[in-house]
């Protein structure tokens, strides 16, 4: 009888340790996943703000012909921030921001004169926005 109690005690101790380790491991994994999702969310929201600022610069340059508010150097700063923030998000967002950077690079000289250049930049901004919204809806 003592031997059976001792075996039962050993089995319950082993089971308790396994249960504790599994629970601890899941908790660590969940905290890590939550932190990752939170970092992606913050980077996405900051990227959305910078996209809005870039769009404002684009519109000020073309529609208002405002050389101060529509200064392409301000646009380059915003594009750089967008690229930096995208590195903290997902590969799909990062890919779209690379495309935005390329579109900006090819069209910034035409901001004050060419509606097509403004449309290309605006379309690229919208593409990044759409991808950010899609990513945000998938986060837990």
């Amino acid at each position: 009888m003592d031997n059976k109690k001792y075996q039962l005690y050993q089995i319950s101790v082993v089971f308790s340790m396994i249960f504790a380790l599994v629970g601890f491991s899941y908790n660590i994994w969940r905290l890590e996943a939550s932190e990752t999702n939170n970092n992606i969310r913050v980077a996405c929201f900051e990227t959305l703000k910078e996209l809005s600022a870039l769009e404002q610069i684009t519109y000020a340059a073309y529609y208002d012909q405002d050389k101060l508010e529509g200064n392409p150097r301000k646009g380059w700063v915003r594009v750089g921030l967008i690229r930096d923030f995208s590195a903290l998000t997902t590969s799909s967002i990062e890919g779209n921001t690379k495309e935005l950077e390329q579109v900006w690079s090819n069209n910034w000289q035409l901001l004050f004169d060419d509606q097509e250049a403004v449309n290309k930049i605006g379309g690229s901004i919208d593409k990044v926005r759409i991808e950010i919204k899609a990513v945000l809806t998938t986060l837990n």
Side-chain angles (χ1 to χ4, degrees):
M1 184 73 173
D2 265 346
N3 196 19
K4 251 188 176 190
K5 280 185 180 180
Y6 185 68
Q7 266 185 329
L8 186 59
Y9 174 74
Q10 285 179 328
I11 291 170
S12 66
V13 167
V14 169
F15 179 74
S16 295
M17 290 297 290
I18 290 172
F19 188 72
L21 286 173
V22 168
F24 182 72
S25 298
Y26 173 77
N27 192 32
I28 294 295
W29 171 81
R30 187 68 234 160
L31 287 171
E32 188 69 29
S34 294
E35 182 67 21
T36 299
N37 287 344
N38 189 48
N39 290 342
I40 291 171
R41 267 188 208 93
V42 169
C44 283
F45 291 135
E46 291 298 323
T47 303
L48 286 171
K49 285 193 235 179
E50 294 303 324
L51 288 168
S52 177
L54 181 62
E55 190 172 46
Q56 181 61 38
I57 290 166
T58 303
Y59 292 159
Y62 183 75
Y63 294 109
D64 301 335
Q65 293 295 306
D66 186 335
K67 302 245 186 241
L68 185 60
E69 291 299 316
N71 189 325
R73 283 179 292 179
K74 289 182 180 181
W76 275 112
V77 170
R78 300 297 180 175
V79 168
L81 283 170
I82 290 165
R83 287 281 293 122
D84 290 345
F85 283 129
S86 75
L88 303 172
T89 61
T90 64
S91 59
S92 59
I93 293 172
E94 193 171 11
N96 283 330
T97 61
K98 283 180 185 175
E99 287 178 29
L100 170 61
E101 183 179 39
Q102 188 61 49
V103 168
W104 177 264
S105 179
N106 293 340
N107 292 283
W108 70 268
Q109 308 91 330
L110 307 171
L111 274 181
F112 290 95
D113 305 317
D114 188 355
Q115 175 74 48
E116 185 62 29
V118 172
N119 291 343
K120 286 178 184 176
I121 292 169
S124 191
I125 289 170
D126 288 342
K127 190 174 177 183
V128 176
R129 273 193 186 120
I130 289 166
E131 186 59 31
I132 287 173
K133 291 174 187 173
V135 166
L136 286 174
T137 59
T138 64
L139 297 178
N140 294 325

